Amino acid sequence: MNIRILFILAKKPRLQTEETSASCSTHTELAVRDCSWSPEFIQDLLPSAERTALLYHLSYLCLGGFPKLERLIRERALETQMLFGSSEAVLLKCVGTSSNLVTSLFPMLMKAVEKNKPVLAVKYLEKAKSWIDDIIRAVEDMVKRYDEQNRSVASCTSDVFQEKKETEEKLQKHSEEMKSLEEAVKNLQDELKEVSRHMESTQNRIDSVNAELQEHIEKCSRRRHGILRALVPFYAVIQDSKMAPAEEAKTHSLKSQISGLNSDKSSLQRKEWDVNVRLTDLQLKLASSKIQLGVIPSPVHLNDVQQCLSRIMGILIQLKKFWEKVGTTLDSLKKKTFVNEDLIDDLEDMKEELLESVEAAGQYWQRFGSCCLRAQGIFSIQSRDAYKFLQIDPSSLSPAEWQKQRNSIMEKLSNINTVDSPTGAITE
């Protein structure tokens, strides 16, 4: 019957001799060493995962005062945290599948081959194929999710750039508005001083003309009625006394001057009030503009956020490549395990080759599962502990605490080393 067999068909027969056994062992060891799934394959996982969380933390820290961006970074960070959690779950699935193949299915398959039971062997092979296809689909889904997350972070980066642009424009607009208001306030203050100066001058002239009129009336009164009559208010004198034409003309002239000056004074008072009203309005607008300018956060840290997000995008691309390589490795293991062969009813002629193939395949899958377990531990730590900073509102931090956190993040970023760091390296 036709079937895809879950083995590598060895070229040499499996002979029960010490020499052949040693040769087979050497062949299997070389095959395992040649497997692309090696510790170096996950060497960058830990530093990449650590950097991702730290860069999110730095971005989040720099967004105090930008509620919209703070929310977006929080969302992207939580999505990445959940993505790491899903990565852990898929790697555990890889570990579980590898373990089940090596410890359960392969031994049963070997017994079926040894006992010449092709139907049972077919059943086990199809079961293995189902398991492998299942984890391949899960890995393919992870590749898509990392790609989607990368696009999401790219969109967030674009939002940060736009917010930075709008904030700078807003700052410039408010600065220009404040400058314009300050100039307008100064102009009105100068105008008010000029009006006050004119009012003072007009009042002095009024006082002067009033004094002249009083003196004129008194002179007329003394001449016509004597010194006692001068004690009577001048308006009574004007009403009761008949003046000479020249005296009356001067009196009329002085009164006209006073009337005109009072009219000018009233006009100046109205103007003074109008200027005061406009000045008060502008001063309130200027005060409001200063308050608003103080509320507008400085965009200086948005450059850091943008750079952090760009680096996160690069790391997500690396992690996507990691999952693509997981998929490639799985496909390679599948091809090394499933070969188009005819499994005849009588297994005697190929029994030794099939048994040797099962043993070799088991070595590959055991190696794959071991490395998946290490990678799973990395994603587990990051998804569980690395995003606790999201519980703190960055705008609530004092300047000293803010700087302390920033220094701590930068120190951690500087200490991450892909190869030499004991935390970054994953050894046998």
Side-chain angles (χ1 to χ4, degrees), residues 26-84:
T26 301
H27 173 77
T28 301
E29 182 180 354
L30 288 174
V32 172
R33 285 181 178 177
D34 290 340
C35 179
S36 62
W37 189 266
S38 63
E40 291 74 20
F41 184 42
I42 56 173
Q43 188 75 34
D44 286 336
L45 264 187
L46 181 59
S48 293
E50 287 179 336
R51 287 189 183 107
T52 301
L54 289 170
L55 289 170
Y56 270 126
H57 190 175
L58 185 60
S59 300
Y60 188 68
L61 190 64
C62 290
L63 290 177
F66 292 91
K68 175 186 172 184
L69 294 181
E70 185 181 319
R71 175 179 56 81
L72 288 176
I73 290 292
R74 177 188 292 274
E75 289 174 357
R76 297 297 86 79
L78 287 173
E79 286 172 0
T80 301
Q81 183 183 23
M82 289 188 289
L83 193 57
F84 281 8

Side-chain angles (χ1 to χ4, degrees), residues 5-15 20 23-28 31 335-337 339 341 349-361 364:
I5 305 180
L6 186 63
F7 319 129
I8 305 168
L9 295 181
K11 299 298 182 182
K12 296 182 180 180
R14 181 185 173 109
L15 301 177
T20 305
S23 174
C24 180
S25 175
T26 301
H27 173 77
T28 301
K335 288 178 180 177
K336 287 178 180 179
T337 311
V339 182
E341 294 290 341
D349 294 337
M350 58 185 304
K351 180 184 299 184
E352 296 302 325
E353 295 181 15
L354 294 176
L355 291 174
E356 184 177 321
S357 299
V358 172
E359 185 177 343
Y364 280 107

Side-chain angles (χ1 to χ4, degrees), residues 187-234:
N187 290 336
L188 281 180
Q189 287 174 336
D190 291 342
E191 184 178 353
L192 187 60
K193 288 178 182 178
E194 185 67 16
V195 170
S196 297
R197 188 178 65 80
H198 282 303
M199 282 185 61
E200 184 179 358
S201 174
T202 301
Q203 184 62 51
N204 289 337
R205 290 175 63 192
I206 290 173
D207 292 342
S208 176
V209 174
N210 265 325
E212 185 180 353
L213 177 60
Q214 181 69 23
E215 184 180 357
H216 172 66
I217 296 299
E218 288 177 353
K219 284 173 66 177
C220 292
S221 297
R222 283 196 300 269
R223 187 174 62 253
R224 293 180 181 274
H225 304 285
I227 190 66
L228 293 177
R229 188 62 176 164
L231 298 176
V232 180
F234 72 89

Side-chain angles (χ1 to χ4, degrees), residues 371-395:
C371 290
C372 283
L373 186 61
R374 298 183 186 187
Q376 174 268 326
I378 293 171
F379 281 111
S380 175
I381 293 172
Q382 290 299 308
S383 65
R384 185 179 66 249
D385 300 327
Y387 293 84
K388 291 182 178 179
F389 64 86
L390 295 173
Q391 300 171 5
I392 300 173
D393 179 4
S395 60

